[in-house]
Amino acid sequence: MTQNVLTDSRARFAALVNPTSVVFLALAAVILVGWALVAVDGGQFLTMETVVGVQQRSAALGIVAVGQTLAILAGSLDLSVAYLISLASLVAAVTMAGQDSNIVLAVGAVMGVSALVGLVNGLMISKLRVHAFIATLGISLIIKGILGDLYDGPAGQVPESFQHLGYDRLGPVPVSALLWAAVALVAWFLLRRTKYGYRVYAVGGDVEVARLSGIRTDRVIIITHVLCSLCAGIAGLLLASRLGAGAPTVGTDGGYDLESIAAVVLGGAALAGGRGGVAGTVGGVLLLAVLDSVFNQLEVNSFFKDVVRGVVIVVAVAVYARRTGLVGRRRT
């Protein structure tokens, strides 16, 4: 009897503490601990420079992670985003060629290329029944080969007017952070206020049940991958505006493929699909950005950085898995 009461109490607590709440509580804890460690080291953590730096550092990853959230919620994922970001930056810079008059054309070209990559990913997964891991990995290798054959280094030129996207800010808020917020809000609206969002969760929860319910699962997967690739294209435009040119390694150097998946998982999404949301992903991205900021101020070596980030991700997944088990036990 006592054991049942304890189990029920734990399950109630787990149900109240949802993954989104957990990741933002963890973010607050990291900020507090980081402030204390930096203060002991003789530095200042909660400064305007640090706040702006965290926002700028998280913007590109945040945009990619929003798209990755859509893919993972639908029971898929996208490993091609890193190379697509590099390709997008080069398409943008080469098309702009330093001319303001070419900006609209360049943005359209990037969106077109990104949508095409997403369409191919979606078709292979939905129509050819290729696993998302293999399909998107294959596309990433194809893009890698194209980049390696056509470019030896940075190429093209971004006009100064477009570089405002990467460097300007409104008060303490960078324009790039506002772009990320806009992308996140659009994705949140799609997931929470449209039939498409309902179908994404349904397909991610159980694709066969969704199909039997009359949902065109193939269409949902294709649209989701197109949207994911468009987010990668937007991130490529942002990085091109910061670099002033396109670079064939800007996406892979940033590790945007695995980093975006890590941020989504930290935000409480299930890799199997059907559970998670944009708010949790935002918290996961900010958590990774704050950790990087703390490590940089403490001058921690890169090996220890990776170890800590790995531990954080594993602990987060373990906590979410335990919570899910407790809630499921209570329902049974």
Side-chain angles (χ1 to χ4, degrees):
M1 180 67 178
T2 303
Q3 184 64 34
N4 290 337
V5 171
L6 287 174
T7 301
D8 188 62
S9 298
R10 290 173 181 171
R12 288 177 184 276
F13 177 76
L16 289 172
V17 183
N18 60 63
T20 303
S21 300
V22 171
V23 72
F24 280 101
L25 287 172
L27 175 61
V30 169
I31 292 174
L32 183 61
V33 172
W35 170 79
L37 291 175
V38 173
V40 170
D41 194 52
Q44 291 184 323
F45 182 62
L46 297 177
T47 63
M48 179 66 71
E49 182 181 356
T50 302
V51 172
V52 172
V54 167
Q55 294 178 79
Q56 289 180 328
R57 204 165 15 246
S58 60
L61 175 60
I63 293 170
V64 181
V66 168
Q68 197 74 257
T69 300
L70 299 175
I72 289 176
L73 287 177
S76 187
L77 55 77
D78 192 341
L79 293 178
S80 67
V81 291
Y83 285 106
L84 178 54
I85 288 171
S86 299
L87 178 62
S89 73
L90 286 162
V91 170
V94 171
T95 304
M96 289 181 192
Q99 302 296 319
D100 291 337
S101 58
N102 293 335
I103 290 178
V104 174
L105 176 62
V107 172
V110 168
M111 293 296 96
V113 169
S114 300
L116 178 61
V117 171
L119 178 63
V120 172
N121 282 333
L123 287 173
M124 285 198 300
I125 295 166
S126 61
K127 300 298 184 182
L128 300 182
R129 299 292 184 254
V130 180
H131 193 280
F133 181 92
I134 301 299
T136 57
L137 178 61
I139 291 298
S140 70
L141 293 176
I142 292 173
I143 299 175
K144 178 184 178 182
I146 293 172
L147 294 174
D149 183 62
L150 297 179
Y151 303 100
D152 295 324
Q157 183 181 358
V158 174
E160 288 188 13
S161 59
F162 193 74
Q163 294 181 36
H164 292 307
L165 175 64
Y167 292 104
D168 281 11
R169 69 188 199 198
L170 301 176
V173 182
V175 174
S176 57
L178 293 176
L179 177 62
W180 173 28
V183 172
L185 283 173
V186 170
W188 175 87
F189 180 81
L190 288 174
L191 288 173
R192 298 297 181 182
R193 296 289 185 267
T194 67
K195 291 181 179 180
Y196 164 76
Y198 163 78
R199 291 165 181 165
V200 167
Y201 281 102
V203 171
D206 192 315
V207 66
E208 289 303 322
V209 172
R211 183 179 291 112
L212 292 173
S213 300
I215 295 175
R216 296 181 179 179
T217 56
D218 289 355
R219 178 182 294 182
V220 172
I221 292 172
I222 292 171
I223 292 174
T224 298
H225 273 280
V226 169
L227 291 175
C228 182
S229 293
L230 286 175
C231 287
I234 294 171
L237 286 168
L238 173 59
L239 292 174
S241 72
R242 288 181 181 171
L243 295 173
T249 60
V250 66
T252 52
D253 287 346
Y256 289 105
D257 44 6
L258 299 182
E259 288 274 319
S260 61
I261 295 173
V264 176
V265 171
L266 278 175
L271 280 175
R275 191 177 76 245
V278 174
T281 297
V282 170
V285 171
L286 290 174
L287 180 59
L288 292 175
V290 171
L291 276 173
D292 277 345
S293 182
V294 172
F295 291 148
N296 289 338
Q297 292 206 35
L298 295 176
E299 298 181 352
V300 175
N301 66 65
S302 58
F303 170 77
F304 187 71
K305 285 183 185 180
D306 292 336
V307 170
V308 172
R309 288 158 71 95
V311 169
V312 168
I313 292 169
V314 171
V315 170
V317 173
V319 169
Y320 297 149
R322 179 171 174 76
R323 173 191 171 276
T324 303
L326 287 172
V327 173
R329 194 182 309 166
R330 177 170 177 256
R331 288 174 178 169
T332 56

